[in-house]
Amino acid sequence: MGQTRSTWDEFFAGFRLLGRGFARYGRSPGLLLLGMIPAVISLVLLGVAWFFLILFIDDLAAAVTWFADDWSSTWRGVVRFGAGAGILAVGVLLSIVSYTALTLLIGDPFYEVISERIEADLGGTPGETDLPWYRTFFKNLADSIRLILLGVAFAVPLFLLGFVPVVGQTVVPVLNAIIGGWLIAVELTGIPFNRRGLRLKDRRQLLRAHRPLALGFGIPVFLLLLIPLAAIVVVPAAVAGSTLLTRRVLGLSTEEQRHAPDTVVP
């Protein structure tokens, strides 16, 4: 019972960190515009991709269910409906993970400023490597590609589950949110982790040790990104929240006017 309560406490703590990220981002008018620029660019690109996906969804569903061409119209319709639902579920997961990765890559210098200002307010960044963004761009790109490929690996079984009646329309969306929330938490914490010279492997290890906290942060971000146009504000605010999340998992203060310790707790 105590362990369950602790897990939920951690989950809601992650949710609160996201709320504080929104509050910090919203209090800085200069950061508002700064953070929106890359988010808008990525949103336009994603919107074009979704336009064509929806336009050709029937053709795609028919293509992946070629074996049902000779079935009765009823069963063929059921199978292709499940295929369409599976394709859309996969599309949601991959598009949100890809959108987050693309936005962070385009806006790396913008979001670095947001993250740095938050850490400066909290006492600085212990262990900071102080490398310019262009020195770490290709490493960040490689990390983002790995996370997208991981999303693809999860998307395959989710697509297959989409064929199962009821399960495809109930369980799959829940799994989508959990998996997507985890991947987004790992992706968003890249900026404050990279500033300390910590790579993707380090992020995943530390966040796994605080999984409820990471999911409490990442799942709401995933769900908010489902709202049309919300991503323009959500991503930069989530970058602010991810900086607080990073400090939390590293054992550093996330409170106003408190100075961070001299060393990072691994």
Side-chain angles (χ1 to χ4, degrees):
M1 188 69 172
Q3 181 64 38
T4 301
R5 180 179 297 175
S6 176
T7 298
W8 281 108
D9 287 345
E10 283 284 283
F11 182 88
F12 287 116
F15 183 81
R16 287 192 295 272
L17 288 175
L18 175 60
R20 290 175 56 197
F22 270 97
R24 280 178 164 272
Y25 176 61
R27 287 201 302 264
S28 303
L31 295 183
L32 284 171
L33 180 60
L34 190 68
M36 286 181 181
I37 295 172
V40 170
I41 295 172
S42 297
L43 189 63
V44 171
L45 296 174
L46 183 65
V48 172
W50 266 95
F51 171 79
F52 285 105
L53 176 63
I54 293 173
L55 184 64
F56 293 107
I57 187 65
D58 291 338
D59 295 333
L60 290 171
V64 299
T65 57
W66 76 95
F67 53 84
D69 287 345
D70 298 328
W71 292 11
S72 68
S73 59
T74 300
W75 284 109
R76 185 170 62 247
V78 170
V79 169
R80 287 183 174 167
F81 176 80
I87 291 171
L88 290 176
V90 167
V92 168
L93 174 62
L94 293 182
S95 63
I96 289 179
V97 173
S98 300
Y99 172 81
T100 306
L102 179 61
T103 303
L104 292 178
L105 283 172
I106 294 173
D108 189 77
F110 299 93
Y111 296 139
E112 186 70 40
V113 171
I114 293 174
S115 184
E116 280 184 345
R117 288 187 186 178
I118 290 174
E119 297 231 54
D121 289 343
L122 296 171
T125 307
E128 184 174 6
T129 57
D130 198 26
L131 291 175
W133 68 270
Y134 55 83
R135 293 281 301 277
T136 60
F137 176 82
F138 289 104
K139 289 183 179 179
N140 296 345
L141 176 61
D143 287 348
S144 295
I145 291 173
R146 289 192 189 99
L147 285 172
I148 292 172
L149 292 176
L150 184 60
V152 172
F154 281 118
V156 173
L158 289 177
F159 170 71
L160 296 176
L161 279 175
F163 285 93
V164 181
V166 181
V167 172
Q169 292 73 51
T170 55
V171 176
V172 169
V174 173
L175 291 177
N176 240 4
I178 294 172
I179 294 169
W182 170 255
L183 293 176
I184 283 177
V186 176
E187 184 69 59
L188 285 168
T189 51
I191 290 175
F193 266 91
N194 291 341
R195 192 182 306 116
R196 295 167 165 83
L198 300 172
R199 306 307 308 170
L200 178 59
K201 181 178 71 173
D202 305 303
R203 268 187 275 164
R204 292 171 64 179
Q205 181 180 355
L206 283 162
L207 289 175
R208 272 199 299 267
H210 298 82
R211 195 183 299 274
L213 184 71
L215 289 175
F217 173 83
I219 290 176
V221 175
F222 181 89
L223 296 176
L224 287 170
L225 289 175
L226 296 176
I227 303 172
L229 303 181
I232 296 173
V233 175
V234 171
V235 171
V239 169
S242 72
T243 302
L244 300 176
L245 174 63
T246 297
R247 294 181 68 88
R248 175 76 173 257
V249 300
L250 291 174
L252 300 171
S253 170
T254 61
E255 300 298 329
E256 297 277 4
Q257 306 301 325
R258 289 188 185 174
H259 293 290
D262 295 331
T263 57
V264 174
V265 179

